[in-house]
Amino acid sequence: METHLLRTFVAVASSGSFSAAAADLDYTQSAVSQHIAALESSLGTALLTRRPVAPTPAGERLLEHAGAILLRIEAARADVRRVVGEPPGEIVFATTPLAAATRVARALTQLRQTRPGLAVTFEVARRDEVARGVASGAYHLGLVDGIAAPSDPLRLPDVGLLRTSAVAQEGLAVVVPADHPIAGRKRLGLAALVDARWIDAPAVSAPLDDLRAAVETDSLRAALGYAGADVRTLLELVAAGHGLAVLPASVSVPAGVAKVPVGSPRLVHRVELLHGQLDSAAASALAELLDEG
């Protein structure tokens, strides 16, 4: 199965249009049609219906594999580029919103003091996006965060050769309105809050799916979903009474919000550094600074 044929198939299936895929890939529409015909011929089955353009059952099954295959190929190319060597004087770094912003700022300051000519691009993205970006070579390094059992690593997508190391770990706290009945408690178990109203904000708080798995119940229900990546907005929503959320215990909260440490189940907020071979001297230096905290 040739990679360029698979890439064309994904583009057509995603856009639902041969012409749109041709524009995205900078091909002619005839070339796109030829690619799809060649792929279907090699697999011996139709992968797309034509009117409307949509995956067949066989095409749906191929799509389940295609993303991982193409990502692994990009990861392999990135790994080879790291061995050959990267352009000097540039580093692209990414982090999830809660992945120790103070640590990042301090490390970047130290790095630029020792390498004044270094061009740095710093981005904030979701955990899966950071992992895929590091694997594909879009980012030299990444910091990701999430909740886990104290001795467990974070669950990351299968993106090929990706090195990880823990750089920080701390307890969790439930954030509640200051006048909430549990505000002021020294510690509590999440199982006691199964009937509470929750805000599901997976980019900036513990995702409800993870909390449900930890408490082993489906009773934790979202009263509100927040798809943004700003912690201050989430805390404003908590203060206004829209629901509760679980955050790292060290997060500063404004007036009107209280933190209650989570006693059970045993979970921690974990921050991990992601990287490839680190053949870039600047990337290696930044990795050391981040690891030092």
Side-chain angles (χ1 to χ4, degrees):
M1 189 183 305
E2 297 185 42
T3 304
H4 70 289
L5 302 182
L6 187 60
R7 199 178 303 279
T8 299
F9 167 69
V10 171
V12 174
S14 299
S15 64
S17 167
F18 280 68
S19 59
D24 289 343
L25 298 172
D26 198 24
Y27 290 154
T28 65
Q29 187 168 337
S30 174
V32 169
S33 297
Q34 290 172 14
H35 286 185
I36 297 301
L39 184 60
E40 290 179 328
S41 175
S42 71
L43 293 175
T45 186
L47 299 172
L48 295 165
T49 59
R50 285 353 189 226
R51 293 187 181 181
V53 175
T56 63
E60 291 282 5
R61 185 61 57 87
L62 181 59
L63 277 175
E64 293 176 7
H65 297 280
I69 292 170
L70 293 174
L71 180 60
R72 291 297 292 266
I73 290 171
E74 287 301 314
R77 286 177 178 154
D79 228 19
V80 171
R81 289 197 298 268
R82 293 183 186 111
V83 173
V84 173
E86 299 172 346
E90 180 183 10
I91 187 168
V92 183
F93 174 66
T95 177
T96 49
L98 282 179
T102 301
R103 176 190 301 267
V104 171
R106 184 169 60 247
L108 289 176
T109 297
Q110 292 175 286
L111 182 68
R112 301 195 72 173
Q113 286 173 346
T114 57
R115 297 171 181 271
L118 183 67
V120 178
T121 300
F122 173 49
E123 299 181 12
V124 176
R126 297 179 184 273
R127 184 167 66 190
D128 286 1
E129 294 171 346
V130 174
R132 291 189 176 96
V134 173
S136 69
Y139 305 131
H140 294 85
L141 293 165
L143 270 184
V144 297
D145 76 293
I147 65 168
S151 58
D152 289 348
L154 295 179
R155 290 180 297 173
L156 297 171
D158 180 11
V159 292
L161 295 175
L162 195 65
R163 289 159 177 77
T164 67
S165 59
V167 297
Q169 188 166 290
E170 64 174 302
L172 297 169
V174 180
V175 288
V176 302
D179 60 356
H180 195 280
I182 68 171
R185 292 271 297 272
K186 292 184 177 180
R187 194 170 294 273
L188 57 77
L190 292 179
L193 298 174
V194 292
D195 295 323
R197 293 162 51 88
W198 291 89
I199 300 174
D200 194 15
V204 287
S205 68
L208 278 188
D209 282 344
D210 292 350
L211 296 180
R212 292 185 190 108
V215 181
E216 298 181 347
T217 179
D218 291 329
S219 298
L220 298 179
R221 301 302 175 108
L224 179 71
Y226 174 54
D230 183 61
V231 179
R232 289 174 298 180
T233 299
L234 173 62
L235 292 173
E236 289 172 0
L237 292 170
V238 171
H242 292 288
L244 315 183
V246 173
L247 292 170
S250 64
V251 167
S252 298
V253 297
V257 177
K259 293 189 297 185
V260 183
V262 174
S264 64
R266 292 191 63 207
L267 296 171
V268 294
H269 177 255
R270 185 178 174 91
V271 178
E272 292 184 356
L273 176 68
L274 312 182
H275 58 83
Q277 293 289 349
L278 287 182
D279 287 315
S280 161
S284 296
L286 179 56
E288 290 177 8
L289 292 169
L290 289 165
D291 218 3
E292 291 170 2

